[in-house]
Amino acid sequence: MRVGVYVDGYNLYYGARRMCGRGTPGWRWLDIKSLIADVITEHSTWIGPNDVAVTYCTARISGASNTTGQREQDVYLRALSASGSADVVEYGNYVSRVGTAPLAVVGPHHRPEIVRPAWPVMLQDQNDQDVPGGRFMVSVARREEKGTDVNVASHLLIDVLSDSVDAAVVVSNDSDLALPIRFARGRVPVGMVNPTPSYFAGKLEGNPAYGAGGHWWYQITTNDLTTHQLPARIGTKIVKPQPW
């Protein structure tokens, strides 16, 4: 069975970071192909052997504000290609801009909670009257990754429509992918791998028997990440970053 695997690199990275901890070593040097091959074998109803091809979609970090991050990401991207853990690496873009938004803190379920004025920090109007229902508006520098979800959807649909795959696995919990995934399910079995500790996005759920049938859902665990790591050295020049 020819299995196309389509990975939202940023959804995977930030989901894994939430599970394992930002400064914790042992999870970032991830062997994606090995992980997904084992997930298919252990958690799907598909009958092997499977020929797994991984398309990894990401965007390059800007070194202007994160030199270390750019260097470490570059090493990992080279490792994915050199080891064969990713067959295609597709790039979106980082966009830098200034955004304006209400001041907020992380609330329940990691959702933003607007900060309201309250003593000892209070807003007042021109008549020196308290405005407890007001909002603090702030301007912040934003670096946004663009194009990864579009690239995941594009590669998925191109491969399905060109009959290049017999089944597909999508590694993402981004509900923006609901439409292309639903289309793909009409033609081939699709496995959904949630790389975050959150519940599956409602729009990505479905009926295992819909369309082509044989669809399944799986949520990555910390153990999955730590037990599927690339060799510390790949070839003569690619070495796992020390903090990883």
Side-chain angles (χ1 to χ4, degrees):
M1 178 182 281
R2 300 167 301 165
V3 181
V5 180
Y6 310 91
V7 182
D8 181 334
Y10 278 89
N11 207 245
L12 172 59
Y13 172 77
Y14 286 109
R17 193 174 81 175
R18 282 175 58 194
M19 281 188 276
C20 300
R22 183 170 189 165
T24 305
W27 59 271
R28 283 179 282 182
W29 198 240
L30 184 64
D31 185 344
I32 298 172
K33 182 171 288 187
S34 170
L35 168 60
I36 299 304
D38 283 352
V39 167
I40 292 171
T41 299
E42 296 170 13
H43 301 283
S44 80
T45 58
W46 302 346
I47 299 175
N50 297 310
D51 179 14
V52 177
V54 174
T55 298
Y56 183 78
C57 300
T58 187
R60 287 192 176 274
I61 296 171
S62 170
S65 58
N66 189 355
T67 304
T68 300
Q70 182 191 51
R71 182 173 61 252
E72 292 179 347
Q73 183 196 41
D74 181 68
V75 172
Y76 181 58
L77 293 173
R78 289 191 289 118
L80 286 178
S81 296
S83 66
S85 187
D87 300 276
V88 176
V89 178
E90 190 70 58
Y91 294 104
N93 297 290
Y94 252 112
V95 178
S96 297
R97 60 185 63 177
V98 175
T100 302
L103 184 65
V105 296
V106 178
H109 308 294
H110 295 274
R111 293 177 180 170
E113 188 173 282
I114 303 300
V115 175
R116 298 295 180 182
W119 291 108
V121 180
M122 176 58 71
L123 288 179
Q124 291 189 333
D125 62 21
Q126 66 270 27
N127 298 316
D128 296 330
Q129 297 300 306
D130 291 350
V131 187
R135 296 183 299 176
F136 299 105
M137 299 300 296
V138 295
S139 244
V140 296
R142 301 176 101 175
R143 295 188 302 275
E144 299 178 0
E145 168 272 320
K146 295 288 186 181
T148 296
D149 54 352
V150 174
N151 288 335
V152 168
S154 298
H155 276 279
L156 169 65
L157 294 179
I158 288 169
D159 287 352
V160 169
L161 289 172
S162 63
D163 194 30
S164 299
V165 296
D166 304 308
V169 176
V170 179
V171 183
S172 179
N173 197 35
D174 186 345
S175 60
D176 289 345
L177 295 171
L179 179 57
I181 288 170
R182 185 166 65 248
F183 179 90
R185 285 175 182 153
R187 288 157 175 76
V188 298
V190 177
M192 289 299 308
V193 176
N194 180 358
T196 80
S198 303
Y199 292 112
F200 263 103
K203 291 182 178 180
L204 299 181
E205 296 178 348
N207 184 340
Y210 170 81
H215 314 305
W216 50 270
W217 291 257
Y218 179 73
Q219 189 156 21
I220 284 178
T221 67
T222 300
N223 186 64
D224 291 327
L225 299 169
T226 57
T227 58
H228 292 86
Q229 296 287 296
L230 294 167
R233 181 180 292 274
I234 299 170
T236 59
K237 296 183 178 179
I238 302 174
V239 179
K240 180 175 71 171
Q242 187 64 35
W244 287 28

